[in-house]
Amino acid sequence: YTMEKDNTSDFKYFQQAYPNVTVLAAKKKVIPKENIFQNGKYIQLGESVPVWKTLIGKVNTPYTFIAHDLANIDKDSRFERLIRAISQLNVPIVGGATKGAEGTWKLNCYQSATQNYTHVLRMGYHNSLHECLYCNHFYGPIMAKTEFLKSITMDESLGDVIFLDLFYQTLANKHQNVAVCPDVMFHVKDGNYSKSQLLPFAKKVDIHKFVIDDNIVQFSCSEIGKVCSLSRGMAVSPCCLQDLSNTIKSLFKKCQEYDIICELQEGTLLGAVKLGKVLPWDMDADVTFLSSHFEALQKFGSSLQAKGYNLAMDFNSLSCCKDGRKVGGKAKLTSAHWTVELYGQHIMDSEQLI
């Protein structure tokens, strides 16, 4: 248990109810002269010493209680129930319901899913057994098998979200669920992750968006230090999608500047209409333009090149005529990672609407 402040009242009930349980409290400041524990001690750590690795390394009991985010312990903190649940449910970690500053009790059982660079946490459970719920994540204090904790690498560089990473590792690497027993109740200090707290975890696992209940936290590529790197797979990284979106926007800005009629086409149009963005599995972009404006495309080729793009014109693709108008025309706009295919049409809907 890491002590942010000395508060003997936090342990008054605990020491009365469990006088034989050893308490280890780490401090990176001066250790108090008076030991507040009946059976336990403070451990002073240097600034570079890993807190959790040190504390868990000193535990020699089968189970460890981590008083994460705990405000106080009372009669509803039923340790025996949690230990019994670990054995009955065959899970490495269990927790309980929580009550924070808002003053209401929460079931505190969350299901998680990670896909398309998005990590989702929503209240819910897979199934139940012995009046406890199987989950992927919960907030607050943790009762865990000591052997399991020692098998996990606690990444202390993550700061306040070290336990979010613990649950992530439990599911992703160990392929195990955790459980919550709602009849065990803890008073906690806080139960939410802020954007600044989530940032180190986002950088570590390359997550660009968190959906936690109804709250959405998003990170730009620059915030998490990522750049476009195309790889095989169904989903394209958000950084690459942003790069493609910027390429399309640069093209349309020039079309507008030079009075060239351009329209999105094919999957690019579908993504804009259905999702309001580029399709997450798109591998290029499709744009149509008015064939009579083909020569005008040349005018902004040099200005796009200055921004890192290259415009290649296929002059043999233009012909005459249909309905008294030029037909065809092809060009390609390329960036470091993307290609925008441009096709000419002799008649366009947007032209008729102007």
Side-chain angles (χ1 to χ4, degrees):
Y1 179 51
T2 54
M3 295 288 290
E4 296 177 2
K5 61 179 182 179
D6 301 319
N7 191 347
T8 57
S9 63
D10 286 357
F11 297 93
K12 185 176 182 181
Y13 173 81
F14 174 78
Q15 293 186 111
Q16 291 174 351
Y18 306 100
N20 296 320
V21 174
T22 302
V23 177
L24 300 177
K27 284 185 71 68
K28 291 193 174 183
K29 297 180 180 179
V30 179
I31 295 177
K33 295 180 180 179
E34 198 174 320
N35 193 344
I36 66 172
F37 307 115
Q38 296 175 14
N39 185 18
K41 60 181 179 180
Y42 280 108
I43 299 172
Q44 185 170 4
L45 302 175
E47 288 299 323
S48 60
V49 177
V51 175
W52 293 108
K53 183 178 180 180
T54 302
L55 286 177
I56 294 169
K58 293 181 178 294
V59 177
N60 53 20
T61 55
Y63 304 101
T64 301
F65 178 73
I66 299 178
H68 170 58
D69 209 26
L70 185 66
N72 59 67
I73 300 175
D74 58 22
K75 59 182 178 60
D76 293 320
S77 307
R78 304 164 58 196
F79 280 35
E80 299 93 335
R81 166 68 163 137
L82 293 177
I83 293 173
R84 188 169 68 251
I86 287 183
S87 301
Q88 292 176 331
L89 304 176
N90 191 29
V91 293
I93 300 173
V94 294
T98 57
K99 182 179 181 180
E102 75 283 355
T104 57
W105 286 102
K106 292 183 178 180
L107 191 60
N108 195 31
C109 186
Y110 291 81
Q111 290 180 289
S112 68
T114 304
Q115 57 186 5
N116 293 343
Y117 301 88
T118 300
H119 189 65
V120 180
L121 287 176
R122 294 196 186 279
M123 190 79 76
Y125 61 95
H126 298 290
N127 49 48
S128 62
L129 184 66
H130 300 299
E131 299 179 339
C132 295
L133 311 173
Y134 285 101
C135 320
N136 302 135
H137 179 91
F138 60 80
Y139 293 96
I142 292 169
M143 181 70 78
K145 293 179 179 178
T146 304
E147 182 181 6
F148 178 80
L149 289 178
K150 291 182 177 181
S151 73
I152 290 284
T153 301
M154 302 281 277
D155 189 349
E156 309 213 16
S157 67
L158 298 177
D160 295 321
V161 294
I162 186 171
F163 294 102
L164 175 61
D165 184 54
L166 172 63
F167 289 117
Y168 184 85
Q169 289 189 62
T170 302
L171 181 63
N173 300 337
K174 300 293 184 177
H175 307 292
Q176 290 182 274
N177 288 316
V178 299
V180 165
C181 300
D183 54 338
V184 177
M185 297 179 283
F186 295 107
H187 294 269
V188 296
K189 300 172 185 176
D190 191 15
N192 299 303
Y193 298 122
S194 67
K195 184 172 182 177
S196 60
Q197 289 173 326
L198 288 170
L199 180 58
F201 181 69
K203 289 182 176 180
K204 178 180 178 179
V205 297
D206 197 7
I207 295 294
H208 293 247
K209 182 179 180 180
F210 291 87
V211 180
I212 304 175
D213 285 331
D214 295 326
N215 299 317
I216 297 177
V217 178
Q218 290 184 284
F219 294 96
S220 66
C221 298
S222 59
E223 285 177 315
I224 63 174
K226 299 292 182 179
V227 295
C228 176
S229 178
L230 289 174
S231 59
R232 294 178 64 85
M234 289 295 292
V236 179
S237 79
C239 294
C240 292
L241 293 176
Q242 185 61 58
D243 189 48
L244 176 56
S245 178
N246 290 341
T247 301
I248 297 170
K249 288 176 182 177
S250 295
L251 172 62
F252 271 77
K253 185 177 180 180
K254 289 299 178 182
C255 287
Q256 184 177 19
E257 183 179 337
Y258 286 84
D259 293 322
I260 299 173
I261 297 176
C262 294
E263 295 178 0
L264 297 178
Q265 193 75 318
E266 309 296 344
T268 312
L269 176 60
L270 178 64
V273 173
K274 300 290 285 187
L275 303 179
K277 58 183 180 181
V278 177
L279 291 173
W281 53 84
D282 236 345
M283 298 307 293
D284 64 5
D286 297 289
V287 172
T288 60
F289 61 90
L290 195 62
S291 295
S292 60
H293 290 167
F294 181 68
E295 288 84 357
L297 289 175
Q298 288 182 280
K299 296 179 180 178
F300 58 70
S302 58
S303 60
L304 284 174
Q305 191 171 7
K307 294 184 177 182
Y309 302 111
N310 181 62
L311 182 64
M313 309 281 291
D314 182 1
F315 292 98
N316 294 325
S317 62
L318 190 67
S319 60
C320 185
C321 288
K322 185 176 181 180
D323 299 327
R325 291 176 169 226
K326 291 182 179 179
V327 179
K330 293 182 181 179
K332 285 186 179 181
L333 179 67
T334 56
S335 67
H337 303 99
W338 295 103
T339 297
V340 179
E341 302 277 359
L342 293 97
Y343 302 95
Q345 293 184 1
H346 71 291
I347 295 177
M348 296 179 65
D349 292 337
S350 55
E351 179 196 13
Q352 306 299 316
L353 298 172
I354 293 176

